Amino acid sequence: MKKYLFVSAMLCAAMMSASAHASDGTEPDRVQRWAALSHRIFGAAPLSPAGPAVTLDMPAQADDAAVVPLTLRIDPAIHAVGVDVIIDDNPSPVAAKIHFGPAADPTLIKLQVRIDGFTNVHAVARTADGRLLETSRFVKAAGGCSGPVGLGGDDPMLNIGAMKMRFDPVPQPDGAAEATLLIRHPNYNGMQFDPVTQGYKPARYIDKTNIQYDGRTVLSMETDISISSNPEISFLYRKVKDGAFDVRIADTRGGSWNHVFPADR
């Protein structure tokens, strides 16, 4: 995913300042930018409006640009096999490429992302029959890429790679169950200022996540610098008796972690 990192931090800051005058995300320059960006990512493959089949819920104005909640809902009728999350004006726009496995219920995904300036956020669902269905939201935010990292003054590197899982006891209408994976990781993107060295923290972020349940893949995910620090990932899965989760993550500095969670504990 590093090939999409084609805008420098300085250019990112300039775009953030210029975008402060934007109103609703439909300006011609934004439309042109998306056309160029989508062609860079998807090539000549046509993108079609998703309509109600894919919905992207985000705040119109972020309370904290470094931790912006994102909820994707996908109609099961389109048989999604994956979805890409793209933040048009971030320095590395492709925030996440998610691939659904046989243990997934791909109708709900929740993430937290960084947003550096007023921007359109796109979600592009990939279907089993090869279609690309696109939807978007315009979000007002500023400075999320360079926002500070940490939890209540703790060292952000403390217990790096530690994981927890939460389970929602209330089943979904279709019988699926919801789980949330919490990962301890600063996800440094190379833009956080270090007051000790007077430079910038070297980039080190999670780029691969794989979640299996009962021996089958729920989802695999490639992520980049736009994912928030200490990320939380919520998803649906098809529950079976005595199933367990096997979670594996890796980061760009060679770190890798594995944890097994019995479901509903």
Side-chain angles (χ1 to χ4, degrees):
M1 292 183 66
K2 297 182 182 65
K3 64 182 179 180
Y4 299 123
L5 185 55
F6 57 87
V7 183
S8 70
M10 291 180 63
L11 180 56
C12 177
M15 288 193 302
M16 179 188 72
S17 175
S19 68
H21 301 290
S23 58
D24 62 2
T26 62
E27 295 80 7
D29 64 324
R30 294 187 184 280
V31 174
Q32 293 170 10
R33 187 176 302 130
W34 171 242
L37 181 58
S38 60
H39 186 270
R40 184 184 294 248
I41 298 169
F42 301 105
L47 273 64
S48 301
V54 182
T55 62
L56 175 59
D57 294 331
M58 301 184 72
Q61 185 159 345
D63 293 330
D64 182 349
V67 188
V68 183
L70 176 158
T71 300
L72 272 166
R73 293 182 172 86
I74 303 175
D75 189 328
I78 70 170
H79 302 292
V81 296
V83 63
D84 297 350
V85 176
I86 302 157
I87 305 172
D88 293 16
D89 290 330
N90 268 16
S92 186
V94 182
K97 295 180 71 68
I98 301 168
H99 313 273
F100 298 118
D105 180 327
T107 58
L108 178 70
I109 288 286
K110 299 177 185 177
L111 301 172
Q112 295 172 326
V113 296
R114 295 178 169 120
I115 296 184
D116 212 50
F118 290 23
T119 185
N120 285 316
V121 179
H122 284 84
V124 179
R126 292 172 272 113
T127 68
D129 58 5
R131 291 176 294 157
L132 297 174
L133 304 181
E134 172 262 326
T135 190
S136 66
R137 287 293 303 269
F138 182 66
V139 179
K140 297 178 181 179
C145 287
S146 57
V149 172
L151 288 174
D154 289 344
D155 179 356
M157 297 297 289
L158 183 66
N159 297 322
I160 185 172
M163 291 179 263
K164 296 180 180 179
M165 288 197 77
R166 294 196 304 247
F167 299 95
D168 189 338
V170 180
Q172 297 291 307
D174 64 355
E178 181 176 347
T180 300
L181 172 65
L182 300 90
I183 306 172
R184 175 79 180 197
H185 198 292
N187 272 348
Y188 288 128
N189 58 18
M191 300 179 200
Q192 285 84 26
F193 182 71
D194 187 339
V196 175
T197 65
Q198 296 295 299
Y200 291 89
K201 293 281 190 181
R204 180 177 185 173
Y205 53 88
I206 297 169
D207 60 350
K208 293 181 177 62
T209 301
N210 185 277
I211 303 173
Q212 292 198 341
Y213 174 67
D214 192 39
R216 300 181 302 155
T217 298
V218 179
L219 61 85
S220 61
M221 183 165 62
E222 303 160 39
T223 48
D224 214 304
I225 65 172
S226 295
I227 297 298
S228 72
S229 62
N230 301 310
E232 299 182 12
I233 307 162
S234 295
F235 57 90
L236 300 182
Y237 65 100
R238 292 292 173 182
K239 189 174 178 180
V240 298
K241 184 178 180 181
D242 299 327
F245 285 93
D246 187 336
V247 181
R248 299 174 184 270
I249 61 173
D251 71 15
T252 55
R253 289 296 185 94
S256 61
W257 300 269
N258 172 226
H259 201 100
V260 175
F261 299 93
D264 300 322
R265 294 185 187 176

